[in-house]
Amino acid sequence: MTARAADRTRFDRATAHLDAPLAIVDLDAFDANADDLVRRADGKPVRVASKSVRCRALLDRVLARDGFAGLMSFTLAESLWLARSGFDDVLLAYPSADRAGFAELASDPKLAAAVTVMVDDPAQLALIDEARGGGREVVRVCLELDTALKLFGGRVRVGARRSPLHSPAQVADMARAVARRPGFKVVGIMAYEGHVAGVGDAVAGRPLRSRAIRLMQATARRELAERRAAVVRAVRAVVPDLEFVNGGGTGSVQHTAAEDAVTEIAAGSGLYVPRLFDNYTSFSGRPAALFAQPVVRRPGVGVVTVLGGGYPASGAPGPDRLPVPYLPEGLKYDPQEGPGEVQTPLLGSPADDLLVGDKVWFRHAKAGELCERFDTLHLIEGDTVTATVPTYRGEGHTFL
């Protein structure tokens, strides 16, 4: 029996009493993935990206482990909710225009001490000031550095379009703008190198493309390491008591951790290991989060139909954004239909061994987005469900 077949046996046995659709997290794999992130971080704390988990029980679980410290959130409303729930170190990874949230933040000492907001433009500071109302708490601020690799005088850009702050001088000027404005304090710098951390460098069946990606990423890592160090020096000249410099992502943990200027690493997808993280030479993880759909039809030889399953992930549309049938091995989509809103035909010889009511297990393309489809996660240890816990959605929150 292959390892995947053994996993299917475990998952089917653990959930035999549960009707699909359902979602699980294999805690043995989750914990092993957490250990691997800590190993690759090589002594630097890992800040957990909450958008890749979206379940408070699992955020608690991973933060209780050595090597993890703090959360990286994705909206201000989520940040405040997490802080009110007892998480005391929440870095908001994206700028916000949530005026009501800023009014609450600026008027509550506990929230203001726990939450750090992201800025890269003086206009964001003005919006926060306008939203304060009577709130007088100092707002903790993190500056975001644009990590994009610019070539040929800037005519070619590789990397996400995020912050406008690219050079050390630009980031230092932003730090001075914050320092001049009462009610704000710069406490950190963040730089997310998504073109390194979030792009697989071993694309199946594409050796030339894979080599090109590896060459690009090696160049990008060298350029960013030098520029990030210069940015930190420039900002520390303005803010000597800078608390943290955050960088990285699941796909670049060990590379980012090797930079002296970086004090902590961000990662989250590496806990669940969705399908987009299968194509890396730098690490391999164990799929920990899966969902099951029930077989509801047997249209013919080599075909079964499952209920639903059309859960595409965000990003540029393409086949890599779709979930994949995972267990039993050997099933594939009908190219004329793909994963459907209400039903999904699956082709392959394993279909002939499936009965109506059996479960087919899928992996989502991205990590936390799976939790936008399910209210609960069934936590499995060995071949037993040991707990059922709510996702953000199950607690009544869909922050985006």
Side-chain angles (χ1 to χ4, degrees), residues 11 14-15 17-27 55 58 288-292 359 361 374-381 384-391:
F11 300 155
T15 62
H17 61 297
L18 300 171
D19 288 333
L22 59 83
I24 65 165
V25 171
D26 179 359
L27 291 180
C55 171
L58 290 174
L290 300 95
F291 67 93
K359 296 180 177 75
W361 296 91
F374 292 91
D375 291 343
T376 58
L377 296 173
H378 301 286
L379 308 184
I380 291 178
E381 296 182 71
T384 304
V385 172
T386 56
T388 298
V389 297
T391 61

Side-chain angles (χ1 to χ4, degrees), residues 7 14 30 44 68 84 86-87 101 116 129 155 168 190 213-214 218 229 264 338 340 345 366-367 396:
D7 282 343
F30 182 89
K44 292 186 177 178
F68 292 89
R84 289 193 298 269
F87 296 95
T116 300
D129 264 342
R155 292 189 297 276
M190 187 192 85
I213 291 173
R214 288 194 289 273
E264 63 176 39
K366 295 184 75 173

Side-chain angles (χ1 to χ4, degrees), residues 84-95:
R84 289 193 298 269
S85 301
F87 296 95
D88 60 4
D89 181 5
V90 183
L91 169 61
L92 174 57
Y94 307 88

